[in-house]
Amino acid sequence: MDFSSINWLAVLVATVSAFVVGGLWYGPIFGKAWMAEMGFTEDELKEANMAKIYGTAFVLEFLIALQLALFLNHGGTDPSVGQGAAYGFHIGFFFIALAMGVNALFSRSSLKLWFINSFYFVILLTLMGVILTVM
């Protein structure tokens, strides 16, 4: 892996974008539906260790953005914005969403929950691909 070609600021911005997208996705867009599908109440969510959750999520999202940057820069290529978006979408949909679909089938979770959880990553990785190729 060649870390010399990594734009660390772009990786950081892509990581932060996960929190922006997540805040919207699991907030005003699908927050109530996600809570209902998961069986959570607002009080239960307030009891969680948010520093641990957000801190660990930041590290994991950073690693996702870093790996996508390494993938996009593989072989010293300079992909276009369209390619970044396409690669992000394909990874998000064909690897993450479909794998989460298999998991949803065996865990017997609802189609709605599968959609909410997996398409967050489809949108996020598409956006990350754009960020990593624009910057």
Side-chain angles (χ1 to χ4, degrees):
M1 287 188 271
D2 180 15
F3 289 95
S4 66
S5 64
I6 297 299
N7 179 340
W8 293 101
L9 179 59
V11 171
L12 183 60
V13 171
T15 303
V16 171
S17 77
F19 285 85
V20 173
V21 172
L24 293 169
W25 193 259
Y26 289 100
I29 298 173
F30 290 113
K32 291 195 185 308
W34 177 80
M35 283 175 41
E37 291 298 311
M38 293 295 296
F40 288 138
T41 65
E42 288 192 31
D43 290 335
E44 288 173 323
L45 293 178
K46 290 177 184 174
E47 294 173 5
N49 182 344
M50 298 313 285
K52 178 182 175 184
I53 291 170
Y54 281 109
T56 305
F58 184 86
V59 169
L60 297 174
E61 298 286 7
F62 178 84
L63 292 172
I64 291 170
L66 177 59
Q67 185 58 46
L68 184 57
L70 288 166
F71 178 77
L72 289 170
N73 293 321
H74 181 71
T77 61
D78 191 17
S80 69
V81 175
Q83 288 171 316
Y87 288 144
F89 174 82
H90 281 93
I91 292 168
F93 183 77
F94 290 105
F95 289 90
I96 294 178
L98 297 183
M100 289 177 78
V102 171
N103 191 322
L105 289 169
F106 284 96
S107 65
R108 293 168 181 79
S109 57
S110 71
L111 180 63
K112 183 188 280 187
L113 184 59
W114 167 75
F115 175 84
I116 293 169
N117 285 332
S118 63
F119 278 82
Y120 159 74
F121 286 103
V122 173
I123 290 169
L124 176 62
L125 281 160
T126 303
L127 177 61
M128 282 183 169
V130 169
I131 291 167
L132 293 168
T133 51
V134 165
M135 295 186 70

